Amino acid sequence: KTEMDTTQITMAAGTLAAAVAAAAVITTKVRNFFSGGVDIPGMKPTFPFGNVGVLSKGVLEGMEVLCKEHADKKTGMASFWLFSEQFLSCLHHEDVREVLLSSSYRRPIKSIAAHITRFLGTSALVNLNNDEWKHHRRVMGKAFHYDHLKAMVGDMCFASERFIRTLEKTPAGEAMDVYQVMKFVTMDVIGLTAFGVDFECGKDVSGGMPEVPAAFEELLEQMTKRTYTTNPLMQNYSLPTAMNRKHKRLAAVLRTKVDGVIEHRLKMREKMREEKTKGEAIEEEHNDFLKHMIPEDASESAFTPKELSDELLVMLFGGFDTTSIFLAYCLHLLAIHPEVEEKVRAEADAVFEQTRDGPLTYEDVTRLKYCNMVMKETLRLFPPAPLTTRTTTKDLVLGGYKVPAGSQTWLPISLIHRDTYNWGADAEEFKPERWDTEGELDGIKKQDIPQFAWIPFSGGPRNC
């Protein structure tokens, strides 16, 4: 019996020792799981997800907690963890400037990049980095030249006027979802200016969109759902689910249309070169971004048809939802600030009176100075893209903290735009006049606005 008791005690002691050792190892691993980061104030992470749970309620709400409530009150800097990786954020315009001007690199987050690639393709500018990004950016930058944009005012006015005529037929007093309605005119403008296609969405805003725009909108919604869900079935595109079958069908509808437009345009360009060689009259090409993304000289470095297709979808992606959101918020702010609405209306009436029922020109638009201030103030308070990110490519000093190269950095645009350090005590107020820095309206100069305190289109070499 004594020998048996001794054996049991020995076994129990061994088991206990093993358990203690295992606990020590686990404790050390948990402690090391969130180690090695920059020593910047932030919300305490919990094993194993870090601070991911805070973002599950919504990106805007999560940013408020992580990037503002738990930030260093003096410097506006904060740190947080998504799983085992540390992220930093900054609010003050000097630090924002430092980050945006020092790096155009964004380390891909595989789970997000995979869904964007499925939607927009492997050559989409938003997913590219380094030399490949520089090449695509250079070609698209030429297409977005100011002179090209000026020449597109006619198409913008055409789509807008048709949309207004449609709205005028709406029975008085009938309510409508302004955000949804703005999508119709936005899609028409982008279709015409990007690749010369009139989707005719603005002809009727009482129902759904035509087939191709509707396919794009549904795919955009699917991408958003798949990106932020934890459902493994939605992450996989090969399973025979109803969602995947619909995705495949809609993607075919969208790509068939865009690829068809590109094929027609490339054939047209080849024909134009032949006519030019023969000295014959050349058919005029529609002025749009696609025109300026195809070089006139066939020997110049050019996008492949697949790259053109991907980048045209990027234009839809970058301008459709964002512009609709902006227009909806702008109209909302005018509705709740009637004194501002009256000023905008008076300025518009004055400009249209000078045109004498003629077409609106780029020069006419530049005379809408107060309207421009209203738009800027809307973008300040309600930026359609509330967040952008960068991965630092060299060591920086942000808010007095040493930040090493390779650090993942968040720039929470919606918080930067309302930070009192950048904008003063009235940062939360809607004041279009704050943009009248030269005193053009009342002769009184205002305080200059720091360059990187307002970044609705991001900033630096990777600005929108």
Side-chain angles (χ1 to χ4, degrees):
K1 183 180 179 182
T2 303
E3 289 178 1
M4 195 168 187
D5 288 344
T6 302
T7 301
Q8 288 176 338
I9 292 171
T10 302
M11 290 177 64
T15 302
L16 180 61
V20 170
V25 170
I26 292 173
T27 301
T28 301
K29 284 187 175 293
V30 170
R31 189 181 297 117
N32 293 338
F33 196 75
F34 301 118
S35 65
V38 183
D39 188 19
I40 293 177
M43 187 177 185
K44 185 178 179 180
T46 56
F47 183 81
F49 302 112
N51 305 115
V52 170
V54 179
L55 295 170
S56 64
K57 298 178 181 178
V59 176
L60 290 175
E61 294 82 354
M63 286 197 311
E64 183 83 18
V65 174
L66 297 175
C67 306
K68 184 177 179 180
E69 292 179 15
H70 288 271
D72 182 334
K73 303 306 178 188
K74 182 179 179 181
T75 65
M77 295 294 297
S79 69
F80 54 94
W81 294 77
L82 302 183
F83 297 98
S84 62
E85 186 168 17
Q86 186 187 40
F87 286 72
L88 311 177
S89 73
C90 50
L91 298 177
H92 294 178
H93 63 86
E94 298 96 340
D95 299 323
V96 173
R97 179 184 188 278
E98 193 72 19
V99 172
L100 289 176
L101 292 184
S102 67
S103 176
S104 62
Y105 177 64
R106 291 193 299 214
R107 188 188 307 152
I109 300 175
K110 291 183 180 179
S111 59
I112 297 176
H115 296 303
I116 294 177
T117 299
R118 277 280 181 175
F119 181 30
L120 303 178
T122 55
S123 303
L125 186 69
V126 291
N127 262 353
L128 301 180
N129 276 302
N130 303 321
D131 290 341
E132 195 174 13
W133 172 80
K134 290 178 182 178
H135 169 60
H136 279 247
R137 173 75 186 205
R138 183 166 53 251
V139 174
M140 294 185 74
K142 290 179 180 178
F144 275 81
H145 191 279
Y146 255 138
D147 288 340
H148 301 158
L149 292 172
K150 289 179 183 178
M152 295 176 187
V153 170
D155 280 339
M156 298 176 189
C157 289
F158 167 76
S160 301
E161 288 177 9
R162 180 175 62 192
F163 174 69
I164 291 169
R165 300 293 170 261
T166 300
L167 291 184
E168 287 175 342
K169 299 174 186 176
T170 305
E174 182 176 311
M176 63 174 61
D177 185 334
V178 174
Y179 167 53
Q180 292 298 326
V181 170
M182 289 299 112
K183 289 181 179 181
F184 287 76
V185 65
T186 298
M187 182 60 79
D188 281 348
V189 169
I190 296 175
L192 286 166
T193 58
F195 41 91
V197 173
D198 185 3
F199 291 122
E200 300 185 343
C201 299
K203 281 188 173 182
D204 181 10
V205 298
S206 60
M209 288 188 177
E211 184 183 35
V212 175
F216 176 84
E217 184 177 23
E218 173 63 27
L219 290 170
L220 178 61
E221 290 178 3
Q222 269 205 32
M223 186 195 73
T224 304
K225 289 177 183 177
R226 291 175 187 266
T227 299
Y228 294 105
T229 184
T230 55
N231 183 347
L233 294 178
M234 292 178 66
Q235 302 291 336
N236 191 313
Y237 288 83
S238 59
L239 296 174
T241 63
M243 188 179 200
N244 285 341
R245 286 194 293 271
K246 188 174 185 180
H247 184 280
K248 185 177 181 180
R249 177 175 60 80
L250 295 177
V253 169
L254 183 61
R255 283 288 181 175
T256 299
K257 179 63 177 180
V258 175
D259 292 349
V261 170
I262 292 169
E263 182 181 8
H264 171 76
R265 193 66 69 88
L266 290 174
K267 288 180 178 178
M268 178 182 176
R269 185 63 67 87
E270 185 62 33
K271 182 181 177 183
M272 290 170 65
R273 292 193 185 104
E274 293 176 359
E275 291 172 343
K276 185 176 181 180
T277 302
K278 296 176 182 177
E280 299 176 358
I282 299 174
E283 180 182 354
E284 188 173 349
E285 190 175 0
H286 185 264
N287 181 60
D288 49 40
F289 293 121
L290 178 57
K291 171 185 176 180
H292 301 294
M293 288 164 65
I294 303 172
E296 292 187 11
D297 188 340
S299 64
E300 288 184 36
S301 175
F303 283 158
T304 65
K306 172 65 167 58
E307 289 173 329
L308 284 171
S309 180
D310 289 353
E311 296 300 16
L312 288 180
L313 289 186
V314 167
M315 290 186 189
L316 285 173
F317 172 71
F320 172 58
D321 219 33
T322 52
T323 306
S324 304
I325 291 170
F326 156 68
L327 289 170
Y329 272 118
C330 193
L331 293 174
H332 167 71
L333 287 169
L334 288 176
I336 63 176
H337 294 89
E339 72 287 355
V340 175
E341 182 182 11
E342 282 305 312
K343 290 181 182 179
V344 169
R345 185 188 298 277
E347 184 179 65
D349 286 345
V351 169
F352 277 109
E353 188 175 331
Q354 292 181 16
T355 65
R356 300 185 183 280
D357 295 326
L360 200 66
T361 65
Y362 176 81
E363 287 67 30
D364 294 326
V365 175
T366 61
R367 295 205 297 274
L368 296 169
K369 297 185 182 300
Y370 186 67
C371 184
N372 186 45
M373 295 175 193
V374 169
M375 291 191 289
K376 284 185 174 181
E377 185 71 345
T378 301
L379 288 168
R380 183 183 75 83
L381 290 173
F382 299 103
L387 168 71
T388 189
T389 65
R390 292 292 185 275
T391 304
T392 57
T393 52
K394 64 180 182 180
D395 294 348
L396 300 175
V397 176
L398 303 175
Y401 296 99
K402 293 182 180 179
V403 175
S407 298
Q408 294 279 57
T409 309
W410 277 25
L411 301 173
I413 298 172
S414 57
L415 299 179
I416 292 166
H417 283 189
R418 292 172 180 250
D419 191 74
T420 54
Y421 176 88
N422 298 327
W423 296 92
D426 61 355
E428 294 284 344
E429 298 177 33
F430 176 63
K431 287 187 173 181
E433 287 77 11
R434 76 171 77 241
W435 293 93
D436 185 25
T437 54
E438 296 301 315
E440 293 182 78
L441 299 180
D442 56 13
I444 303 173
K445 278 200 169 190
K446 316 294 189 305
Q447 184 177 348
D448 287 337
I449 294 170
Q451 184 182 5
F452 285 83
W454 188 75
I455 52 168
F457 309 107
S458 186
R462 198 163 190 140
N463 68 328
C464 182

